[in-house]
Amino acid sequence: MPNAARISVVIPVKDDDTELARCLRALARQTVPADEVIVVDNGSTDASADVARAFGARLVRCEAPGIPAASAAGYDAAEGDLILRLDADCVPDESWTAAMAVAFAARRGVAAFTGAARFIDGPALLRTPLATLYLGTYAAVMIPTLGHLPLFGSNMGLRRAAWLGIRSSVHLDAELHDDMDLAFHLGERGRIRHLSGARMGISMRPFAPGQAFGRRAARGLRTVLVHFPHDFPPVRWTRRLLRGVRRRVAGRRYDTRPSPGLDTRSHR
């Protein structure tokens, strides 16, 4: 990929050494290797740090508790033009980084891409329906709330420039969902689009006994409410509508034309 943007992959982790090793093996098989893989150790007591070093990843330590702080530490440390994000228990397809890189090159006006996922463990008969329920419910709730697509932290990418533009606004509260909070802020400044070609396998752990699925839902509600009243849906929709009108009048700020020679028919 000539003149390709530099790619950083960020993986926040806490006590997931076995899953992290599986994830890093999958990243090592990418058809377009990342320029750097950053593992953010959020206070692990297992061998996660040793696993990261063994695979040649760049290890960043984050003492502040919670995924929001760990993810932000990884984005801050990233040196690439594109920052791709997944979790330690994720298994990306071999074309994941390539799909992200091509999409960003083809759509210069897009600030972030988000993809779906499939479950790779748990009862085989439940994998597809539970994945559809899990991600479908998330989208059904968050699209009306945000006025645009949400981000899915297990499969997403954003431009480093976009991150730097919102860095001072994101919340680092451990009881919030970092991807949901990021979508609130990023959607105010740029476009978020779905990328079907970025295929990702994830664990069914959210549905496992003792994983406190209700707590995850409570965190989601808290993430939404922390943005009120500024982002109360009708207020946010109106603000976005007016901003879109101003952009059309003033002309597009970013060049959204596809790059020459790139087939963008599969990207939305």
Side-chain angles (χ1 to χ4, degrees):
M1 298 181 65
N3 302 318
R6 285 177 53 82
I7 300 172
S8 298
V9 175
V10 171
I11 312 171
V13 63
K14 182 176 181 180
D15 296 333
D16 258 346
D17 52 4
T18 301
E19 291 78 7
L20 178 63
R22 182 181 63 179
C23 178
L24 292 174
R25 279 194 293 270
L27 287 172
R29 295 193 295 265
Q30 295 295 298
T31 56
V32 175
D35 294 281
E36 63 174 355
V37 176
I38 299 171
V39 173
V40 185
D41 184 2
N42 196 208
S44 295
T45 58
D46 66 359
S48 292
D50 294 333
V51 168
R53 283 190 286 261
F55 277 89
R58 180 179 165 199
L59 184 65
V60 173
R61 296 190 183 276
C62 176
E63 300 302 327
I67 297 176
S71 297
Y75 303 153
D76 286 342
E79 297 178 354
D81 306 293
L82 307 178
I83 303 174
L84 310 188
R85 156 82 156 83
L86 72 169
D87 292 311
D89 60 354
C90 291
V91 181
D93 281 14
E94 293 181 359
S95 61
W96 182 62
T97 56
M100 285 283 188
V102 170
F104 275 111
R107 300 287 299 276
R108 298 190 182 111
V110 174
F113 282 100
T114 187
R118 66 189 186 282
F119 287 127
I120 55 176
D121 56 18
L125 291 177
L126 295 179
R127 292 176 187 177
T128 298
L130 280 182
T132 302
L133 175 65
Y134 185 48
L135 296 175
T137 301
Y138 179 51
V141 171
M142 292 309 300
I143 289 175
T145 301
L146 294 166
H148 55 77
L149 282 174
L151 291 167
F152 179 45
S154 294
N155 185 1
M156 70 177 219
L158 67 156
R159 298 186 190 274
R160 182 169 181 269
W163 165 249
L164 294 177
I166 63 170
R167 173 61 182 88
S168 61
S169 302
V170 297
H171 297 79
L172 304 182
D173 185 341
E175 292 302 316
L176 299 183
H177 285 300
D178 65 303
D179 48 1
M180 193 182 296
D181 179 65
L182 187 62
F184 269 103
H185 299 288
L186 201 58
E188 285 286 284
R189 293 172 174 260
R191 298 179 180 88
I192 299 173
R193 294 292 182 264
H194 178 73
L195 180 58
S196 59
R199 293 176 291 181
M200 180 67 65
I202 62 173
S203 171
M204 201 183 285
R205 288 195 298 183
F207 293 94
Q211 290 299 310
F213 190 79
R215 186 178 181 186
R216 292 171 182 262
R219 284 179 175 176
L221 178 60
R222 180 183 173 90
T223 306
V224 171
L225 294 179
V226 79
H227 291 275
F228 284 9
H230 180 265
D231 284 308
F232 184 63
V235 176
R236 183 178 175 89
W237 303 336
T238 302
R239 190 168 63 243
R240 284 175 50 80
L241 177 62
L242 292 176
R243 185 179 295 111
V245 170
R246 287 196 296 268
R247 283 176 178 170
R248 284 193 292 272
V249 171
R252 293 188 180 275
R253 183 177 179 181
Y254 301 106
D255 178 12
T256 59
R257 293 171 297 175
S259 299
L262 287 174
D263 184 355
T264 63
R265 288 172 293 179
S266 63
H267 306 312
R268 286 183 280 175

